[in-house]
């Protein structure tokens, strides 16, 4: 008789996995080919898919909670403590060192995303265009849609995809219910406070379109800084630097922004938006996983979106670099951080080194 995996075991396994497997800039970690064909194919979804297969929807929620909730709580706590932290004179050199690292973090993210695609000139051109347009202030959503369309129309057919399964009917009842639940929860947040509703939608949008990695930062920056003015650029730079020290999905950064600007309700809205979007996409797609994994169009579209995200990461880094106050120590620190990240030194170690260098030299 086979012993059923307990929900507690799924939770603890996911918590352990997220604690030891930081996502490197631009990398989403190992994922099944089915998740490689989803826009939000993150490591969190890989853990959740395993939970779904073992214990159904309860296992999925246990895995998501273990993988993400502790780091959402930590980022929310950092957001709540941030005003007091910036008021401490002793913290200023540490933050200066971390801020000097952020353009290097963006550079490494963009290169890591684009390096596996360097043999496809159309993707490099797409990334260059997206980076320039993002730098100039164009909203990312239109670029992401354009990247998906260009990928489908212009990329060669990918190799190594599994054979398509035999056709079987797809039950549309579940995705319709999931969409209605997502919309109802959004409505509840909007009724409480329109800002909470927007944050809920922002966290979900960032999770769906970020490919589960660093691409979440440009999407959050475009909304939270440029459009909504919930944060200024230095605060967002600090968010990114502190995020390098925290495990879990990049989208946990939304909890920092929510907590900083709207308190506990903002952190809850960010977590609900992430969970509803990521969980909904996975539940809706899982019954058709074989078809999605073998879909040429899906893989090509994801490649196009990834190129746009890589370009936007470079554009974001250029924006931070242009607006920073550079001197020789800061430039040297940024260069050392870039070299370390490109040589695959752990981002958390680079962030700690940048903070220590800031304390000693800035």
């Amino acid at each position: 008789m086979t012993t059923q995996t307990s929900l507690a075991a799924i939770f603890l396994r996911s918590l352990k996995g997220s604690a030891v497997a930081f996502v490197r800039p631009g990398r989403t970690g190992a994922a099944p080919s089915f998740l490689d064909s989803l826009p939000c194919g993150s490591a969190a979804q890989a853990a959740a898919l395993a939970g779904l297969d073992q214990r159904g929807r309860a296992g999925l929620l246990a895995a998501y909670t273990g993988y993400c909730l502790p780091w959402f709580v930590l980022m929310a706590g950092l957001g709540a403590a941030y005003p007091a932290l910036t008021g401490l004179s002793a913290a200023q050199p540490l933050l200066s060192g971390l801020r000097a690292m952020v353009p290097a973090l963006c550079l490494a993210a963009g290169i890591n995303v684009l390096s596996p695609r360097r043999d496809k000139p159309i993707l490099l051109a797409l990334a260059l265009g997206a980076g320039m347009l993002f730098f100039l202030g164009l909203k990312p959503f239109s670029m992401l849609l354009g990247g998906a369309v260009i990928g489908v129309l212009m990329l060669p057919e990918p190799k190594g995809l599994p054979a398509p399964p035999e056709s079987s009917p797809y039950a549309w009842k579940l995705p319709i219910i999931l969409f209605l639940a997502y919309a109802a929860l959004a409505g509840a947040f909007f009724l409480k406070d329109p800002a909470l509703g927007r944050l809920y939608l922002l966290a979900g949008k960032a999770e769906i379109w970020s490919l589960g990695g660093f691409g979440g930062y440009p999407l959050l920056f475009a909304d939270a800084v440029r459009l909504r003015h919930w944060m200024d650029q230095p605060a967002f730079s600090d968010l990114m630097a502190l995020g390098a020290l925290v495990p879990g999905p990049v989208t946990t950064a939304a909890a920092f922004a929510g907590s900083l600007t709207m308190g506990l309700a903002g952190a809850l809205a960010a977590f609900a938006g992430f969970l509803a979007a990521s969980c909904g996409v996975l539940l809706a797609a899982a019954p058709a996983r074989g078809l999605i994994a073998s879909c040429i169009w899906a893989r090509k579209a994801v490649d196009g979106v990834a190129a746009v995200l890589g370009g936007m990461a470079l554009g974001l880094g250029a924006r931070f670099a242009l607006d920073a106050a550079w001197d020789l120590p800061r430039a040297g620190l940024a260069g050392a951080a870039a070299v370390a990240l490109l040589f695959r030194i752990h981002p958390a170690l680079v962030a700690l080194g940048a903070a220590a260098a800031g304390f000693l030299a800035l």
Side-chain angles (χ1 to χ4, degrees), residues 12 23 30 39-41 45 47 105 133 239-240 244 246 248 323 337 349-350:
L12 292 174
V23 177
C40 51
Q45 284 192 319
L105 196 66
L133 292 173
L239 179 160
M240 292 178 62
V246 177
D323 294 339
L349 295 178
V350 178

Side-chain angles (χ1 to χ4, degrees), residues 49-208:
L49 184 62
L52 178 67
D53 289 340
Q54 290 173 341
R55 288 294 304 272
R57 295 169 192 170
L60 176 142
L61 289 174
Y64 262 123
T65 304
Y67 202 97
C68 306
L69 182 59
W71 317 123
F72 265 96
V73 172
L74 179 55
M75 288 299 286
L78 289 173
Y82 180 75
L85 179 65
T86 55
L88 296 175
S89 58
Q92 298 310 309
L94 299 175
L95 292 175
S96 293
L98 289 171
R99 288 171 185 167
M101 178 200 72
V102 169
L105 196 66
C106 297
L107 174 66
I111 291 176
N112 286 342
V113 169
L114 298 174
S115 180
R117 299 171 173 89
R118 61 184 179 273
D119 59 337
K120 299 175 181 176
I122 183 62
L123 291 182
L124 297 180
L126 182 61
L128 178 62
M132 294 175 62
L133 292 173
F134 185 84
F135 177 84
L136 295 173
L138 186 68
K139 293 182 179 180
F141 187 65
S142 57
M143 291 188 283
L144 292 167
L145 286 177
V149 172
I150 290 173
V152 169
L153 296 179
M154 303 189 67
L155 288 178
E157 293 190 2
K159 299 178 181 179
L161 296 185
E166 296 182 3
S167 60
S168 58
Y170 178 77
W172 288 97
K173 182 178 179 180
L174 178 60
I176 292 173
I177 292 174
L178 291 170
F179 176 78
L180 292 176
Y182 181 82
L185 191 53
F189 279 113
F190 270 102
L191 287 174
K192 176 67 176 176
D193 184 338
L196 291 175
R198 294 187 186 99
L199 181 61
Y200 169 88
L201 294 177
L202 167 59
K205 181 171 64 175
E207 168 62 13
I208 289 175

